[in-house]
């Protein structure tokens, strides 16, 4: 059964006067602003495409984005995601334009709708990272010519979730039935992986988040609804007692989420029990370790774990490019397809 979440995959055109209205509709344009913009079939195929791109010859593949222009707008710092989408777009044949946080007239009061309307006449895809609400990206996506990709907003990091699922699928050969323990803040990475993994039957996601720093209730409710439909499970607790045994993967993220700050000056005391150390492998000796990076050794994870034999965090980082390529192709092809098509 193919279902999607509450957000439409392609928002309708913005209201405009007849002289402002854009009559051109690119029939292949799709946006990825939330994991819930994807049908179950979209999600599965994007993961499969990411795995295929991972195995493919990087320099000899097809160029489905030839003659297209991808804009990269990051108002916040990025190493992996920005490089992944930039290199991925180039490998798919696209040209690039990049914007820094002070480059667009958004800073002088231009509306998001007007910015999207203008950029859509010059770009084919806009990949954007902000620390704001996804509503801004949906405003950019209110035109029908340019695809918009959320490379991280305040609430959700959907392309990170695709990277995570690609990494797990490549390692285990499946996502159904996988058991994942997430330890740390209920941030945008946690929101995205909850929305994504909960689509797969039998998958189990256990979130252990510090008190006061849990998953946003709206995202948790959406993930629980997916799980109820698919036969997965999503659970959250705010302590480290009675952890599940024999999980397949243990996942953490940095304690200080990019673009945010914590008002409580003693927040580190609250987070300290949630550090990922080698003791977590006593009950799950075969688990792999995931981290979306950047990592702060000695904070959310010990060096022994991050640099140890269970860690596939840097393989996960490389997979950002393969997932980015799958996303870019999906956005411009009107739906997912095998990388070799």
């Amino acid at each position: 059964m193919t279902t999607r979440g509450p957000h439409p995959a392609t928002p309708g055109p913005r209201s405009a006067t007849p002289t402002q209205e854009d009559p051109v509709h690119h029939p292949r344009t799709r946006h990825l602003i939330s994991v819930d913009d994807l049908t179950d079939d979209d999600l599965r195929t994007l993961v499969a495409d990411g795995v295929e791109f991972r195995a493919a010859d990087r320099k000899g593949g097809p160029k489905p984005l030839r003659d297209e222009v991808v804009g990269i707008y990051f108002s916040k710092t990025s190493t992996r995601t920005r490089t992944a989408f930039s290199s991925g777009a180039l490998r798919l044949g696209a040209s690039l334009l990049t914007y820094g946080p002070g480059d667009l007239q958004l800073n002088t009061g231009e509306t998001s709708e007007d910015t999207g309307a203008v950029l859509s006449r010059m770009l084919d895809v806009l990949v954007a990272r902000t620390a704001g609400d996804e509503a801004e990206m949906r405003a950019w996506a209110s035109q029908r010519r340019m695809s918009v990709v959320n490379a991280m907003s305040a609430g959700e990091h959907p392309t990170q979730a695709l990277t995570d699922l690609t990494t797990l699928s490549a390692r285990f050969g499946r996502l159904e039935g996988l058991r994942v323990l997430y330890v740390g803040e209920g941030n945008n990475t946690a929101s995205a992986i909850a929305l994504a993994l909960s689509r797969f039957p039998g998958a189990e996601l256990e979130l252990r988040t510090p008190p006061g720093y849990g998953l946003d209730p709206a995202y948790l409710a959406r993930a629980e609804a997916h799980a109820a439909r698919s036969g997965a499970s999503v659970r959250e607790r705010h302590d480290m007692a009675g952890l599940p045994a024999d999980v397949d993967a243990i996942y953490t993220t940095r304690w200080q989420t990019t673009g945010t700050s914590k008002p409580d000056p003693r927040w580190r005391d609250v987070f300290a029990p949630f550090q990922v150390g080698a003791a977590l492998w006593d009950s799950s000796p075969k688990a792999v370790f995931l981290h979306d990076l950047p990592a702060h050794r000695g904070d959310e994870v010990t060096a022994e774990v991050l640099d140890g034999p269970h860690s596939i965090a840097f393989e996960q980082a490389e997979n950002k490019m393969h997932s980015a390529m799958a996303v870019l192709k999906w956005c411009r092809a009107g739906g997912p397809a095998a990388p070799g098509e």
Side-chain angles (χ1 to χ4, degrees):
M1 179 180 179
T2 299
T3 62
R4 71 171 74 250
H7 298 300
T10 306
R14 68 189 178 100
S15 59
T17 65
T19 57
Q20 293 172 324
E21 185 62 45
D22 176 11
V24 179
H25 169 53
H26 193 300
R28 299 180 299 154
T29 299
R30 287 190 170 187
H31 310 292
L32 176 56
I33 298 172
S34 169
V35 171
D36 278 351
D37 290 339
L38 302 172
T39 67
D40 289 351
D41 289 343
D42 290 339
L43 182 57
R44 290 175 183 276
T45 309
L46 279 168
V47 172
D49 284 357
V51 173
E52 281 200 52
F53 276 123
R54 168 189 163 92
D57 180 357
R58 292 184 180 182
K59 297 184 179 180
K63 308 293 183 185
L65 268 65
R66 189 185 303 276
D67 299 326
E68 300 215 333
V69 181
V70 175
I72 307 289
Y73 169 56
F74 278 53
S75 66
K76 296 298 177 182
T77 58
S78 174
T79 297
R80 279 148 293 278
T81 305
R82 180 170 178 167
T83 305
F85 273 98
S86 298
S87 59
L90 291 169
R91 292 178 190 279
L92 293 177
S95 299
L96 285 181
L97 284 176
T98 61
Y99 308 98
D103 290 343
L104 298 181
Q105 297 289 3
L106 288 164
N107 293 306
T108 65
E110 184 170 45
T111 67
S112 297
E113 289 83 358
D114 286 352
T115 298
V118 170
L119 291 179
S120 72
R121 287 163 164 77
M122 306 175 194
L123 301 177
D124 298 293
V125 183
L126 177 65
V127 179
R129 164 170 291 190
T130 73
D133 190 274
E134 70 178 42
E136 181 179 32
M137 296 186 187
R138 293 202 181 276
W140 297 333
S142 61
Q143 44 67 43
R144 298 190 293 173
R145 297 173 68 171
M146 174 185 73
S147 298
V148 177
V149 176
N150 177 2
M152 193 181 78
S153 59
E156 188 181 339
H157 197 347
T159 61
Q160 180 63 52
L162 289 172
T163 295
D164 301 337
L165 295 191
T166 296
T167 303
L168 291 169
S169 182
R171 174 55 63 111
F172 294 100
R174 61 183 172 85
L175 293 169
E176 293 78 6
L178 286 186
R179 306 181 70 218
V180 176
L181 171 63
Y182 176 94
V183 179
E185 186 174 18
N187 56 20
N188 43 28
T189 291
S191 299
I193 191 65
L195 292 179
L197 193 61
S198 58
R199 304 275 198 98
F200 293 86
E204 299 180 19
L205 176 62
E206 178 102 4
L207 298 124
R208 295 300 182 99
T209 57
Y213 296 93
L215 206 64
D216 182 304
Y219 283 100
L220 181 59
R222 284 160 58 184
E224 289 173 338
H226 290 320
R229 174 180 57 80
S230 70
S233 70
V234 177
R235 297 180 296 269
E236 183 178 33
R237 284 178 51 173
H238 304 298
D239 60 70
M240 291 294 283
L243 294 174
D246 296 322
V247 299
D248 298 296
I250 299 172
Y251 194 164
T252 195
T253 68
R254 65 184 293 187
W255 283 348
Q256 191 69 20
T257 303
T258 301
T260 66
S261 60
K262 295 178 174 59
D264 180 2
R266 301 195 305 170
W267 66 267
R268 286 186 176 275
D269 295 334
V270 179
F271 275 68
F274 295 83
Q275 182 185 77
V276 173
L280 292 186
W281 272 261
D282 291 345
S283 59
S284 297
K286 296 182 180 180
V288 298
F289 173 68
L290 299 176
H291 193 306
D292 59 355
L293 302 179
H296 288 196
R297 294 167 177 84
D299 279 353
E300 74 277 4
V301 62
T302 64
E304 179 184 11
V305 170
L306 181 62
D307 302 317
H310 298 285
S311 177
I312 57 172
F314 292 92
E315 175 184 328
Q316 179 187 5
E318 179 186 342
N319 285 336
K320 280 203 170 187
M321 182 182 70
H322 309 307
S323 291
M325 293 170 73
V327 167
L328 290 169
K329 185 173 183 181
W330 176 83
C331 283
R332 303 309 293 165
E341 266 190 28

